[in-house]
Amino acid sequence: MKNLVKTITDFTYQNGLEVSRVFDDLLRYMIHGYTLPGQPGLTDWRYTKEQNAVFYEMYSQIVLIMQRELKHKLWFDIFGNIYEELIASKSRRSNSGQFFTPESLCDLMTEICQGEEKQTGKLISDCACGSGRTLLAHHVRNLGNYYVAEDIDKTCAMMCVCNF
């Protein structure tokens, strides 16, 4: 993941941009890439062809990291990890009440709430989803549910979309 963080940091520095903007745009790039064909492009996309190649490189690195990590665990929150490392300063977290639940705690909460019985066909909601860690932990153990994720922070909402 160090190479991905370096790619994002270098791109940000070389182009005189804010890292939070680049991260948001990377999430938008990924979300838009999975929309239905024939839909209009992003009207406010300001990047050049060369810069778009870097976005594609970041996306490729994410895919490779996810493939590697998912060989060893049921789920992995790459976007939350990037966010915590590059963007979530202490002041931003304390001002908005943002605290990301550790992955191991998400797994434990799922085990405690679920018990021995698999849950299927249920409505599962998280009103402060962040990057979606708690929902991911539940989802990988309980397929066939309907998940509702909400967050006041647009970046968090986009991370959750990308994670799912």
Side-chain angles (χ1 to χ4, degrees), residues 29-56:
Y29 175 88
M30 293 177 63
I31 292 166
H32 184 73
Y34 286 99
T35 58
L36 297 172
Q39 296 296 313
L42 296 170
T43 56
D44 61 344
W45 195 254
R46 295 181 271 268
Y47 296 99
T48 66
K49 186 176 181 178
E50 295 78 19
Q51 291 170 324
N52 283 333
V54 178
F55 275 94
Y56 181 76

Side-chain angles (χ1 to χ4, degrees), residues 8-151:
I8 294 169
T9 305
D10 290 350
F11 179 82
T12 300
Y13 178 75
Q14 291 166 358
N15 292 286
L17 301 169
E18 292 181 20
V19 71
S20 60
R21 175 181 169 196
V22 170
F23 185 62
D24 280 358
D25 286 343
L26 175 60
L27 296 169
R28 290 177 59 228
Y29 175 88
M30 293 177 63
I31 292 166
H32 184 73
Y34 286 99
T35 58
L36 297 172
Q39 296 296 313
L42 296 170
T43 56
D44 61 344
W45 195 254
R46 295 181 271 268
Y47 296 99
T48 66
K49 186 176 181 178
E50 295 78 19
Q51 291 170 324
N52 283 333
V54 178
F55 275 94
Y56 181 76
E57 175 59 28
M58 289 182 230
Y59 170 70
S60 298
Q61 288 180 34
I62 288 169
V63 170
L64 292 173
I65 292 166
M66 290 297 293
Q67 287 175 337
R68 185 182 66 236
E69 292 294 326
L70 292 176
K71 287 180 183 177
H72 307 290
K73 45 181 120 174
L74 292 173
W75 63 276
F76 180 64
D77 176 19
I78 190 168
F79 304 107
N81 291 340
I82 294 168
Y83 183 85
E84 285 183 304
E85 187 164 337
L86 289 178
I87 298 163
S89 67
K90 288 182 180 177
S91 63
R92 180 172 180 167
R93 283 189 274 189
S94 64
N95 288 342
S96 62
Q98 279 185 337
F99 298 96
F100 282 69
T101 307
E103 293 176 5
S104 58
L105 188 54
C106 292
D107 286 331
L108 178 62
M109 289 188 306
T110 296
E111 288 176 29
I112 291 170
C113 291
Q114 175 183 326
E116 297 294 320
E117 182 182 325
K118 293 276 184 193
Q119 297 176 357
T120 241
K122 306 248 186 219
L123 175 66
I124 311 296
S125 180
D126 187 346
C127 61
C129 66
S131 58
R133 287 180 178 176
T134 305
L135 294 175
L136 283 172
H138 187 273
H139 172 69
V140 298
R141 291 170 181 84
N142 300 280
L143 299 175
N145 290 295
Y146 180 76
Y147 293 92
V148 177
E150 301 172 271
D151 204 289

